Each structure stands twice: as C-alpha cells, then as structure tokens.
Amino acid sequence: MLLKTFGWSFAVTALGLAAAAFYGGWTAFGVVAILSVLEISLSFDNAVVNAGILRKMDAFWQKIFLTVGVLIAVFGMRLIFPVVIVAVSAQLNPWDAVDLALTDKDRYQQLVTDAHPAIAAFGGMFLLMIFLDFVFEDRDVKWLAWIERPLAKLGKVDMLSVCVALIVLLVSATTFAAQAHQYGGTQVDKAETVLLSGIAGLITYLIVGGLSGHFENRLEEEEEREQEATEKDEEEADRTGKPRSAVALAGKAAFFMFLYLEVLDASFSFDSVIGAFAITNDIALMALGLGIGAMYVRSLTVYLVRQGTLDDYVYLEHGAHYAIGALAVLLLVTIRYEINEIITGLVGVVLIGWSLWSSVRRNKALAASGSAKDEENAEISALA
C-alpha cells in the first residue's frame, strides 16, 4: 500500500536529489532537501482538505485531479511561477530571467537580491493573511488554547485580519524598508516599493480567497442539487421496487469541485514558492525542491483518501499555519537583515514536528481516558 501510493514520489525524490548533487554538490543537495520538507510541511493541511473533497468525486475526476492537477502544480506553480516572480520584480521578460539564472548567476543573484524587498513584502503579506485568517477563526479544536482562544474572540471584529496586515506592512515599510539591504551590502530606502508590493500581495490573497469562496459556494449548490436528485431517485426506487443507485459527484458538480481544488492548491503552492525565496534564489534548486514536495503532497492526498483517516492528528493543520505565520515574519525581517537559510527552513519543520507530537500525546490521552471509563462502566455493571 505504501509503495503503491508513494512509489512515484520516492522515484522523483531520488532523481531530484541526484540532480541537485550533480548541479551544485552537497550544498545544493541540502537546500533541495530542506525545500522539499518545507513544501510538505506547508501543504500538509492542503492535502487534508484535498482528500476531504476528492473522496466525494467519481473515479474519472479523481484521476483528472491526480494527473492534470499534478502537472499544473509541479510544472505550472513550482517551475514557471518562480520565473514569473523574478521577471516581474526585476523587470525582465521570462526568457531573459531563465537565461540569466542558468548562464549568468552573478548577475541573476544581483537582480534577485535587489528585488528582494519587493518579493519579501509581497509574499510576507500573502502568507500573513493566511495565518491571520486561521488564528482569528473560532475552531472547535485548539492547539495552543492560551493563544487561540483570545484571538478567536478578537476575530469576531470584521476585517480585523486586513487591518492587522496593513499595520504590519506600514511598520515594516517605515522600519525595515528604510534601510533595505541591496547587492554588495549597500542599503537604500525601499519604503515605497515595500508598500506597493505589500498591498499587491494583500490584493492577490483577497482575489484568490474570493475565487475559492466562489467555487466553494457553487460546489455547495451543486451538492444540494445532487442530494435532491438522489433523494428523488430513492423515492422512485422505493415506489417502483427498482434498486437504488449510488451516485458519486460527477458532471458540473465534479467540474466545479475540480476548479475549486485547483484554486485552493494554487494558493497553497503560492505560499511555498514565496517562502522558497527565503531559502534560495537559485531557480533550478527551487523547482527541484518544490517539485519533490508537491509529489508527496499529491501522494499524501491519495493515501488519506484510501485510508479514510483524516482526523488522526488534529493539530497538524495548526502547526502548518503557525509555520506560515513565522515564515511571513521572517520574510519581512529579511527586507533589512539577512537570516541564515537553515534557520528559515527549520522553523517550519520544528513547528510541524511539535504539532505532530502534540497530536500523538492527545490521542494517547484520549485512548487512556476511554479505557479508564470502560473499566469504570464494567465495575458498575458487575456491582449491579
């Protein structure tokens, strides 16, 4: 089961790490490994959401998502999108950006470093909004309750996450951006650039969130229609004595579900691509690392669907979002200060590991309390 589900991911990992070692030695090998872990950790909750929706679809649309969808995710978002970011931020056409990345790494490094304040502000705001919308939402399951409970109460204020993000952007523009570091160690005032880029990142998040909400609403409408049609079929079957037919979502319902999944996946892909710039500016290593991680996310989605166990580790989603929040802060700080790539990459790993450990402890505690309650009930029954 494990090999069947993750076989392609293992193969891509071996090829990707070998290509990284050939391309840049053990340093490149380590960067690609960290990027792969970063992608998996940031997108784990995406895999959980994908699995919850994907299991409602019929076999045809599941196959479409796991074939066409993975091509879009790996080649579109992880390979082409980083080129677009560099091209736009450095005011180059995509072909020149690719040519520089492969043939003139010093010049490419200079352009990316000089454009880093804009990239960091854009990505930092996008990631920060994901984190804020998560922590300001009142959830049944709370990991760090002493933080999440008061934040959930504050989250009842409309548009609070946007207000907080704009305040953070304003502070960043007037502090970090006032002496942003440039190629060669010089410092320049990038306050205007950071403000414009941060607002663009915020707008992008709102657009992506709006599209996701639109597709989700359409999906719910289609599901209601499918449910009504199924109930009519069951009534007809009961009246005529014909066997009932099991209906999986197909047609327009599955199509809108597919669109919703792609928009959702793109939003999560975006944060990992932006986060990757905090670890490396090498587009080849970025594509290798994020591509490997994307394959594992897809395999994990299939595994969760086939196993049907989506709620075993309830704090992992929290850990992933805290990692996103930490990465947003680190990106904004890097506008002025350089942060070691290893530290940046390990922040997400530590938070995900902590949330996994907390989930395991919670499961053991629930199992122990359940066993104690069963023993108590057995003793009461025996006395009775």
Side-chain angles (χ1 to χ4, degrees):
M1 174 65 179
L2 187 65
L3 185 60
K4 181 179 179 181
T5 305
F6 290 89
W8 279 105
S9 297
F10 294 153
V12 171
T13 301
L15 291 174
L17 291 176
F22 179 78
Y23 175 78
W26 289 111
T27 300
F29 181 95
V31 169
V32 168
I34 289 175
L35 284 172
S36 302
V37 174
L38 175 69
E39 169 70 15
I40 296 169
S41 63
L42 290 181
S43 300
F44 183 87
D45 53 339
N46 189 24
V48 173
V49 174
N50 286 351
I53 299 175
L54 196 64
R55 61 181 176 177
K56 302 177 184 178
M57 301 169 71
D58 64 9
F60 171 77
W61 283 101
Q62 287 185 2
K63 187 176 293 186
I64 290 293
F65 177 74
L66 296 172
T67 52
V68 177
V70 78
L71 291 176
I72 296 173
V74 174
F75 294 102
M77 290 303 298
R78 274 77 173 184
L79 182 60
I80 297 175
F81 187 61
V83 175
V84 173
I85 290 178
V86 173
V88 171
S89 61
Q91 299 181 352
L92 298 171
N93 66 62
W95 296 114
D96 288 341
V98 173
D99 182 65
L100 279 175
L102 298 177
T103 61
D104 191 352
K105 293 183 180 180
D106 290 338
R107 174 61 177 162
Y108 176 81
Q109 177 72 22
Q110 178 182 348
L111 289 173
V112 174
T113 302
D114 291 346
H116 180 77
I119 296 172
F122 187 95
M125 284 298 101
F126 188 92
L127 298 178
L128 185 62
M129 282 299 299
I130 293 176
F131 170 71
L132 291 175
D133 277 349
F134 180 84
V135 296
F136 284 146
E137 183 178 346
D138 191 9
R139 300 176 180 276
D140 294 333
V141 177
K142 293 178 174 60
W143 178 29
L144 304 178
W146 58 279
I147 295 177
E148 295 170 11
R149 194 170 285 119
L151 288 177
K153 292 180 180 179
L154 290 174
K156 295 178 182 179
V157 179
D158 290 339
M159 304 299 291
L160 180 62
S161 58
V162 175
C163 293
V164 172
L166 287 174
I167 292 172
V168 171
L169 176 61
L170 183 61
V171 172
S172 300
T174 55
T175 53
F176 300 136
Q179 292 180 306
H181 70 267
Q182 294 284 276
Y183 188 79
T186 60
Q187 292 183 331
V188 295
D189 187 350
K190 288 278 188 176
E192 182 179 351
T193 299
V194 167
L195 277 174
L196 292 175
S197 300
I199 291 173
L202 181 60
I203 292 173
T204 301
Y205 173 83
L206 294 175
I207 291 174
V208 170
L211 287 173
S212 297
H214 169 72
F215 288 132
E216 188 172 13
N217 291 336
R218 293 293 299 270
L219 173 60
E220 290 176 355
E221 292 174 3
E222 291 294 335
E223 284 182 330
E224 290 176 1
R225 292 173 187 166
E226 291 284 347
Q227 182 64 29
E228 291 174 1
T230 301
E231 290 175 355
K232 290 180 180 179
D233 290 342
E234 291 177 351
E235 291 176 1
E236 180 69 18
D238 291 337
R239 187 173 59 82
T240 61
K242 295 179 180 179
R244 299 181 180 184
S245 57
V247 180
L249 286 180
K252 288 193 297 182
F255 175 70
F256 282 118
M257 185 180 292
F258 174 75
L259 291 180
Y260 170 63
L261 279 173
E262 288 305 313
V263 172
L264 187 68
D265 187 67
S267 66
F268 280 92
S269 303
F270 187 82
D271 64 45
S272 60
V273 170
I274 289 296
F277 277 102
I279 296 175
T280 181
N281 290 327
D282 193 313
I283 196 169
L285 299 182
M286 191 182 299
L288 285 173
L290 297 182
I292 291 172
M295 289 298 298
Y296 278 99
V297 172
R298 277 301 193 277
S299 297
L300 183 59
T301 299
V302 176
Y303 179 81
L304 293 173
V305 170
R306 291 174 178 173
Q307 293 294 104
T309 54
L310 299 178
D311 302 317
D312 287 346
Y313 305 104
V314 295
Y315 298 140
L316 279 173
E317 185 177 8
H318 297 72
H321 280 86
Y322 279 108
I324 288 172
L327 198 57
V329 173
L330 289 173
L331 273 174
L332 294 175
V333 171
T334 58
I335 292 173
R336 180 173 180 180
Y337 302 103
E338 293 187 20
I339 298 178
N340 189 280
E341 296 172 349
I342 302 298
I343 295 175
T344 307
L346 288 179
V347 165
V349 177
V350 170
L351 287 168
I352 289 293
W354 183 15
S355 64
L356 176 62
W357 178 68
S358 298
S359 299
V360 172
R361 287 186 60 193
R362 175 185 182 273
N363 293 342
K364 289 182 178 179
L366 289 176
S369 63
S371 300
K373 189 173 182 179
D374 290 341
E375 291 177 2
E376 182 180 348
N377 292 335
E379 290 176 0
I380 294 174
S381 298
L383 291 174

